[in-house]
Amino acid sequence: WCVWDGQLIRLALPAAHDLWLDIKVLWTSPTASVFRVLDSVKDGIIVPNKDYQDDASLQQFAELVWFANLVTTEWENIPVKTLKRLEKLGLVARPNTRAVGLIQDRLTEKALASSSGWTPVPHKPVDTYEELMTYVDSLQPPCILKTRREGYDGKGQWRITEDMDLEVFWKKEFSKWSPP
C-alpha cells in the first residue's frame, strides 16, 4: 500500500502482483507513471489536484487498506502531514514519519548519516548570498549547490562554476526555492 505514484512503485507493482500481493496506490492522475501497470482504477485512490493532504482522499485510502494497517512511500518528499494524518486514521507508515521528516532536509539527513558513522560528502549550509560567496571560494568551483528541501532527480541543484555571476544566479534561480 503505497502513498505515491511514481516510477519506483510502477517498477515494483508487477513483482508484487507476481507474489499475489494486493497493492493499493494513492495516486494523482491517469497520466501518473504507475497507472501504466495498475490493473484498473480500483487499485488506488485519486487525490484531487495532486493534494496529498486532501482529508477525504486520505480517509478513503485508509478505508481501502484498513486490513493491512501498513503503508509505505517511495518518495521522500511526501508531506509529513500526510503520513501523520494516515497514522491518525490507524495506518502505520514505513519508513516512519520521523524518518521521512529527517531525510526531507538534506542538512539533517547528513547529520543523521554522520551520527550513524557514515561519512557524507563535504557540505556546508548556505542560507544567504554572503555564505554562498564565502563557501564557493573555499570549495573552489566547480561545485554543486543543492536546496535543503524538495529537490530530487536533479531538481533543486545547480553546478556552480568560476565564471558564473553568482549574484544573478542567487536572485534568479535559487530564490525560487523556499528557504528551510
Side-chain angles (χ1 to χ4, degrees):
W1 301 268
C2 187
V3 185
W4 194 242
D5 60 2
Q7 64 186 13
L8 293 178
I9 193 64
R10 179 179 58 88
L11 296 171
L13 267 172
H17 283 222
D18 288 347
L19 295 170
W20 296 81
L21 296 175
D22 184 25
I23 303 297
K24 304 295 181 195
V25 179
L26 190 62
W27 53 290
T28 55
S29 78
T31 60
S33 80
V34 73
F35 190 72
R36 289 184 241 153
V37 294
L38 289 174
D39 286 337
S40 70
V41 175
K42 70 176 175 54
D43 281 334
I45 300 299
I46 297 177
V47 179
N49 302 317
K50 298 185 180 186
D51 180 5
Y52 281 90
Q53 296 177 62
D54 178 73
D55 280 337
S57 295
L58 295 177
Q59 177 71 42
Q60 188 180 3
F61 184 70
E63 290 169 4
L64 185 66
V65 301
W66 68 269
F67 54 89
N69 203 31
L70 182 67
V71 294
T72 190
T73 178
E74 56 124 38
W75 188 53
E76 71 275 9
N77 288 324
I78 190 83
V80 170
K81 288 180 181 180
T82 297
L83 295 178
K84 286 182 178 179
R85 176 71 174 123
L86 290 172
E87 287 174 348
K88 285 182 181 178
L89 292 169
L91 301 179
V92 177
R94 292 291 181 256
N96 69 38
T97 303
R98 182 172 179 266
V100 171
L102 284 171
I103 66 170
Q104 286 181 348
D105 182 319
R106 287 188 173 103
L107 202 54
T108 59
E109 180 182 46
K110 290 185 185 322
L112 177 64
S114 293
S115 70
S116 300
W118 297 8
T119 306
V121 298
H123 62 281
K124 306 248 187 223
V126 174
D127 293 314
T128 66
Y129 173 72
E130 291 73 25
E131 287 176 337
L132 173 65
M133 295 306 294
T134 301
Y135 293 143
V136 165
D137 289 341
S138 69
L139 292 173
Q140 299 173 341
C143 58
I144 303 294
L145 177 67
K146 296 182 177 186
T147 61
R148 283 182 62 177
R149 296 181 170 273
E150 305 254 338
Y152 66 97
D153 291 346
K155 296 174 182 89
Q157 56 188 354
W158 302 267
R159 186 170 191 261
I160 304 298
T161 61
E162 288 180 15
D163 60 338
M164 285 178 73
D165 183 333
L166 292 176
E167 188 172 6
V168 170
F169 160 77
W170 186 267
K171 289 177 182 174
K172 184 179 177 188
E173 291 296 324
F174 200 75
S175 63
K176 294 177 189 175
W177 295 82
S178 59

